[in-house]
Amino acid sequence: MGRGRVQLKRIENKINRQVTFSKRRSGLLKKAHEISVLCDAQVALMVFSSKGKLFEYATESCMERILERYERYSFTEIQCATDEIQQNGNWTWEHAKLKARMETLQRNLRHYEGEDIQNLSLRELQNLEQQLDSALKRIRSKKNQLMVESISEFQKKDKELQEQNNILAKKLKEKEKTNVEQAHWQLNNNCQDSSSMLLPLNISSNGREKEDNETTNSGVLLPWMIRHHLE
């Protein structure tokens, strides 16, 4: 059978207790040194015997520096815990304030809508009426302002459209005038071309009449005149 588990309790025999303390102390210091070397950790170990004797181990014999670091860490932890508690308290207070504020706003909103006003006093009803009147005046003022701005914007757009219309009408008139001038110019050119084509024909006709007269006066008939008489 295997060895049973040793029950941990105070050793009553003084000699045995001293021997066990010496053995366990040496083993504990050895383990502290091993974890410091193997894991590159800073270890500080302090053991007080039952008689008040101190046994200690510190990495690289820097007990004071390790203790200072421990104190700074402990102070930081305590400060963080204190700040967290204080912050939680502040958040609780802020939550209560916001909750009360929200309830007040919801109640006022119901009053503005004409609900839950049965329990209001005369002064509270008068204050509510004044608040509604002030709100109505602000709403009307804002509405009138928006209407004036809209009318001004429409007038501005109408003016711009009118200017664009005038510009287009002016361009259209100029184009019509140009088309009329081009038509007159083309008509004049056509008339001049027709006159230049008819002028040689008139000259030729006048020459033939003159030749006919001369032939008649001389008493000699040309061949084409003979054919004309025979016909």
Side-chain angles (χ1 to χ4, degrees), residues 19-227:
V19 172
T20 302
F21 175 77
S22 179
K23 291 181 179 180
R24 296 295 180 93
R25 181 199 65 205
S26 299
L28 184 60
L29 295 176
K30 182 179 179 181
K31 292 294 183 181
H33 175 70
E34 289 177 355
I35 193 173
S36 174
V37 174
L38 295 175
C39 302
D40 193 20
Q42 290 185 346
V43 179
L45 175 63
M46 292 185 295
V47 180
F48 289 91
S49 67
S50 59
K51 294 182 179 181
K53 187 177 180 180
L54 173 63
F55 300 90
E56 64 179 20
Y57 170 82
T59 303
E60 298 179 357
S61 301
C62 296
M63 178 64 73
E64 291 80 5
R65 188 170 61 186
I66 296 176
L67 290 177
E68 289 177 359
R69 184 177 180 183
Y70 172 76
E71 289 177 356
R72 290 195 302 270
Y73 181 81
S74 299
F75 176 78
T76 304
E77 286 291 322
I78 295 172
Q79 187 66 29
C80 291
T82 304
D83 294 341
E84 185 177 358
I85 294 173
Q86 185 177 2
Q87 186 176 6
N88 290 333
N90 292 335
W91 280 116
T92 303
W93 173 246
E94 288 293 331
H95 178 265
K97 288 173 59 178
L98 291 175
K99 185 177 180 180
R101 179 63 176 169
M102 184 177 65
E103 292 177 354
T104 302
L105 292 175
Q106 290 177 349
R107 183 173 61 255
N108 292 337
L109 181 60
R110 290 194 299 270
H111 291 167
Y112 292 150
E113 293 176 351
E115 299 177 358
D116 298 340
I117 60 175
Q118 293 81 6
N119 298 326
L120 295 180
S121 63
L122 178 61
R123 180 178 294 276
E124 290 175 343
L125 290 174
Q126 290 176 348
N127 292 333
L128 180 61
E129 184 180 9
Q130 292 177 358
Q131 292 176 2
L132 291 175
D133 289 339
S134 299
L136 185 59
K137 289 179 181 179
R138 290 193 296 269
I139 292 172
R140 288 175 177 172
S141 176
K142 184 63 177 179
K143 184 188 70 173
N144 293 333
Q145 180 183 356
L146 293 177
M147 291 179 64
V148 171
E149 292 177 355
S150 299
I151 293 173
S152 177
E153 186 69 21
F154 288 148
Q155 290 177 349
K156 182 179 179 181
K157 290 183 178 180
D158 181 69
K159 184 177 179 180
E160 292 177 354
L161 292 174
Q162 187 66 30
E163 291 177 354
Q164 292 179 0
N165 189 21
N166 294 334
I167 293 173
L168 292 176
K170 184 177 179 181
K171 290 182 178 180
L172 183 61
K173 289 181 180 180
E174 292 178 354
K175 188 173 182 180
E176 291 178 352
K177 182 178 179 181
T178 303
N179 292 335
V180 171
E181 291 177 353
Q182 290 180 354
H184 289 168
W185 180 80
Q186 187 174 2
L187 182 61
N188 292 332
N189 289 339
N190 292 335
C191 292
Q192 291 177 1
D193 293 340
S194 299
S195 300
S196 61
M197 291 176 64
L198 293 175
L199 183 60
L201 294 176
N202 293 332
I203 295 173
S204 177
S205 299
N206 293 332
R208 177 171 291 184
E209 290 177 357
K210 183 177 180 181
E211 183 179 359
D212 292 343
N213 293 331
E214 291 177 352
T215 304
T216 304
N217 294 329
S218 61
V220 180
L221 295 177
L222 296 176
W224 64 272
M225 296 177 65
I226 296 173
R227 287 196 302 271

